[in-house]
Amino acid sequence: MIMINIDFNKLNPLEKMINETLITLSKTATNITITKAAENCDCSVSKISKFAKKLGFNNFKQYIDFLYGKDLPENRSSVELERIKNFIDDFDISLVDEFIKLLNSYKKIILFGYGPSFIATQYFEYKLRINTNKFVIAVPDEISVESLLDDKSLLVIFSTTGKFKSFERINTLAKEKNCQVLLIVEEYNESLLTNYSKIFWMSKFLQPDILKPYEKSRIVFFIFIEEVIQRIIFNNRQDNFEQKQINTEQEDI
């Protein structure tokens, strides 16, 4: 069934009376036309039509179908919702495992992104700090990144297209300091292949070309982040359970 926002608080006394009258009528009448509804409610057809729309329905027929408990026709889904659905159905869980493996190999995690991608890194920073004992920091500019780079760090760069602004300078500096770089990019960008040794391509379902990089959705990043965090939480609980079992066995000895 489609989602409908029904708000009875919007109705005035007359409209509440119309609603109660039609609910009662629907229990005995098999086919309520808008004319019949107007007659039973002692008001105009126009008033009935406005009442149904005010309540949250597209038209009177949809309201009556709702009273009869019929399945309402699906609204056409947005392009973005369809894209996200396809992304979820095609999600590669091995990227989550690979990321956690990398995470466990480094003491310091640097999260970097421009514009809206930086907001995603801030959220990731918060989640990782709560659920790991790693030093995690999200930074919005190259100067801050440069001061943090070393051979014990993993630099994770988030970019929707890899086209908004080049990461080439910071990538070169990271290599000079033996800092591992992971580029997480939503859309395939062939120009990145020769410069980065480790890239996660997130999705083959592209956002509209008419959108500029900063206008594009970051929902794919947040889905990936949540999958990583949920896996970390599960692993932590598993480790705690196993440690408790070991402690119990040692106490018994």
Side-chain angles (χ1 to χ4, degrees), residues 126-155:
Y126 170 77
K127 287 284 194 172
L128 286 174
R129 284 189 174 188
I130 290 176
N131 294 289
T132 73
N133 57 4
K134 301 288 182 180
F135 174 86
V136 185
I137 184 169
V139 289
D141 60 85
E142 292 186 359
I143 295 176
S144 299
V145 174
E146 184 177 352
S147 66
L148 293 166
L149 298 174
D150 58 39
D151 59 359
K152 297 180 179 61
S153 301
L154 171 65
L155 172 61

Side-chain angles (χ1 to χ4, degrees), residues 207-225:
Q207 299 188 49
D209 289 335
I210 60 172
L211 297 177
K212 296 176 181 178
Y214 63 86
E215 294 176 328
K216 294 190 174 186
S217 164
R218 266 59 180 178
I219 189 72
V220 162
F221 291 155
F222 284 101
I223 292 172
F224 174 75
I225 289 168

Side-chain angles (χ1 to χ4, degrees), residues 78-171:
S78 73
V79 173
E80 178 64 3
L81 287 176
E82 187 66 24
R83 185 183 74 86
I84 296 305
K85 179 180 180 299
N86 290 334
F87 168 73
I88 292 173
D89 290 341
D90 193 60
F91 191 87
D92 184 359
I93 199 68
S94 68
L95 294 181
V96 171
D97 297 328
E98 180 64 19
F99 182 86
I100 292 176
K101 182 179 178 181
L102 280 170
L103 184 74
N104 292 335
S105 300
Y106 295 90
K107 294 183 178 180
K108 182 166 61 180
I109 311 300
I110 308 166
L111 306 172
F112 179 46
Y114 290 118
S117 295
F118 172 62
I119 297 173
T121 68
Q122 288 180 302
Y123 180 73
F124 206 8
E125 173 192 35
Y126 170 77
K127 287 284 194 172
L128 286 174
R129 284 189 174 188
I130 290 176
N131 294 289
T132 73
N133 57 4
K134 301 288 182 180
F135 174 86
V136 185
I137 184 169
V139 289
D141 60 85
E142 292 186 359
I143 295 176
S144 299
V145 174
E146 184 177 352
S147 66
L148 293 166
L149 298 174
D150 58 39
D151 59 359
K152 297 180 179 61
S153 301
L154 171 65
L155 172 61
V156 184
I157 302 174
F158 283 85
S159 179
T160 302
T161 63
K163 298 175 182 178
F164 176 68
K165 191 172 182 180
S166 173
F167 300 103
E168 199 50 46
R169 178 177 174 276
I170 204 67
N171 184 44

Side-chain angles (χ1 to χ4, degrees), residues 64-81:
I64 291 300
D65 286 344
F66 176 77
L67 290 187
Y68 285 138
K70 295 180 180 179
D71 287 339
L72 303 181
E74 294 285 347
N75 288 329
R76 185 174 63 85
S77 62
S78 73
V79 173
E80 178 64 3
L81 287 176

Side-chain angles (χ1 to χ4, degrees), residues 20-32 64 67-68:
E20 292 169 1
T21 299
L22 295 179
I23 288 174
T24 301
L25 184 61
S26 68
K27 293 177 181 178
T28 56
T30 56
N31 181 31
I32 305 174
I64 291 300
L67 290 187
Y68 285 138

